[in-house]
Amino acid sequence: MAPCHTLLFFILTVTATLAAASPEKKSTFIVQVHHEAKPSIFPTHKKWYESSLASITNHAIAAETTTIAASAAVLHTYDTVFYGFSAKLSPLQAQKLESLSHVVAVIPEQVRQLHTTRSPQFLGLKTADRAGLLKETEFGSDLVIGVIDTGICPDRESFNDRDLGPVPPNWKGSCVAGRDFPATLCNRKIIGARYFSAGYEATNGKMNETLEYRSPRDSDGHGTHTASIAAGRYVFPASTLGYAKGMAAGMAPKARLAVYKVCWNGGCFDSDILAAFDAAVADGVHVVSLSVGGVVVPYYLDVIAVGAFGASEAGVFVSASAGNSGPGSLTVTNVAPWMTTVGAGTIDRDFPANVRLGNGKIIRGVSVYGGPGLTPGRLYPLMYAGGEAGGDGYSSSLCMDGSLDPKMVRGKIVVCERGINSRAAKGEVVKKAGGIAMILANGVFDGEGLVADCHVLPAISVGARGGDDIRKYISAASQSRSPPTATIEFEGTRLGVRPAPVVASFSARGPNPESAEILKPDVIAPGLNILAAWPDNVSPSGVASDERRTEFNILSGTSMACPHVSGLAALLKAAHPDWSPAAIRSALMTTAYTVDNTGGAMLDESTGNASSVFDYGAGHVHPEKAMNPGLVYDISAYDYVDFLCNSNYTAKNIRTVTRKGADCSGAKIAGHAGNLNYPSLSAVFQQHGKTQMSTHFIRSVTNVGDPTSVYKVTIAAPEGITVRVEPETLSFRRLGQKLNFLVRVEARAVKLSPGSTSVKSGSLVWSDGKHTVTSPLVVTMQQPL
């Protein structure tokens, strides 16, 4: 249980149009009040909350209808990462609550969405090693990973508890029974399971229990998949429809799992997510894995950021997915510096397939289709769905439900555009219309990034250039009165792919929309075409008409990358119990790499060109090196308060995030937001007609390597930038010793058009000849409008 603070939070839901909402419209709000304001006549905080709601309701009667004025019910109470409750109120009731003297802030709730094996071997975690991260940490057996997601299918082999010791003695969690989930399904592997639906149902009404489980059981698949990536047991043989055959394993195979189901058919609601954070920290998890996200807002309006701060302050490492809105810039989400933000990369395995056109040209693509294929050697009629297939042209090009004319589609291979509806759903639309196969073509924005799917008919995904070539062939063939034809050839699983890793096209990119001085994402990890456990009640395609079932499935997304880092964090925490969440993140960042398995610069899948720090942050995680990083950049809760001060947050804003009062006078004298002791350095210069600009970074490193060691710095300055480090040598005499250094950055103005930017990157490396501690250094020049 967290110690008492002077503040508490009332959690409520609000729509984006709150100011314009009618008095009758009820939603949920997040309201912070002084914790010590509770009158002693109330035996519990919940009684006080209920009394407060009744009081607000009575005051609102004159302004509202009697129906709306009925007493609101408490949805959740919170007493660990912060204090408060959630309830559904009308805007007038919420405004009345906000006017009370003990209320500090009102936060609107967001609805979040899910950011939807060979990766242990690709990461260098080999089960046969006699030493290394897995062996030295006993595979993470004493660590608990809390997965906040869609629940879990507990009867998968990935979650068996054979050879596991007793549940860790400090565990305080429970297994909450519900539909098709008796408490006995928890074991020494899944040691906790809870579900939170009050916020979801407050907005959407009572759930349809014929479609969803009122229990921790997973009816979607996402939560089962992410949980097994983080901590799935070794399972052999494993595959999906014959693809990716081999051994499946999570990052920390013996780590314990605690499952917190917060995502439902209508999304993932902040009040439920906050309840999960509160429960997870109180239960005693060591790591929180969160593969959901939404739009970026200031931290004091971001319930995930608020919950993650409370978790981090309690010593819990929070790993969060960066989002799937890449390859555009400024798309990264979950950007608070006290959580580790994870982007997605490829591994050295893919699932090649080809389109063979009637003119002999071959278009490369990917697929994990596992059903009856097309007749070898036979060419089939080929058509573009946006042409004569029916509909309005746009909807038919996307193969939206009901948009295709069966008379035009029957017996043909249909080319569909990517976008709007799910990739697998497009195949179902083609199949229902009588098509025999589908080619799914990327748009220009998607570039050449390919995602393999378990389609319900023979299907292949091709890049933007391949899609253009196919459409040009169809057009040319039609004009020559020679009907276009094609076939699809499936090649199965290919290993040893080069180059790898590559930054996945969909992976969200920086710069950080909220704090430009903090580089996000922090790192990337495997997130493309990842094999992991899958529920027995959900088809591999996710399409309702698909009756196939499989114990494993292949999915892609930063949702898959995030639990890789969650599992690795558990292993690092097991190896170094005294490390803080910031120290673990530092170890992962400063040992990350930016080259692929050909020795070249890591590429961007969307373009085929070299990727950048805004794509991968510090680089791709390297678990074995992270085990012994030499130096770490540590950060305390008070350092984050200083960061918020230097980010020009008000004392009220800071109190909302941290539950602490803040005197910012000292922090602002000491430096700026970029002085947070982060393992990366990001300088942002506004030119404003200046010819020369400069800034500095103050950093502190803690020795976790050899007791007596001397580190020397090597600077790879960004092009055209002058960088100096003082001192250039750090001499340590004991473990745990901290030493400071100063980084001065000077830049000359560059010619830029109004509103444009110039970005240059380099690095700062400390080395003692044994350890290499690398920090990315990025300098952004901006020309204001």
Side-chain angles (χ1 to χ4, degrees), residues 170-181:
N170 294 329
W171 176 247
K172 302 180 185 68
S174 61
C175 195
V176 177
R179 180 185 161 211
D180 287 353
F181 201 103

Side-chain angles (χ1 to χ4, degrees), residues 299 305 312 334-341 512 514-515 518 520 522 582 585 635 640 643-644 676 678-679:
Y299 304 130
S312 176
N334 293 324
V335 296
W338 44 84
M339 65 176 87
T340 300
T341 310
N512 186 331
E514 177 61 17
S515 301
I518 304 298
K520 291 285 182 173
D522 292 305
R585 177 179 59 237
I635 305 175
Y640 291 126
F643 161 78
L644 293 171
L676 180 67
Y678 220 70

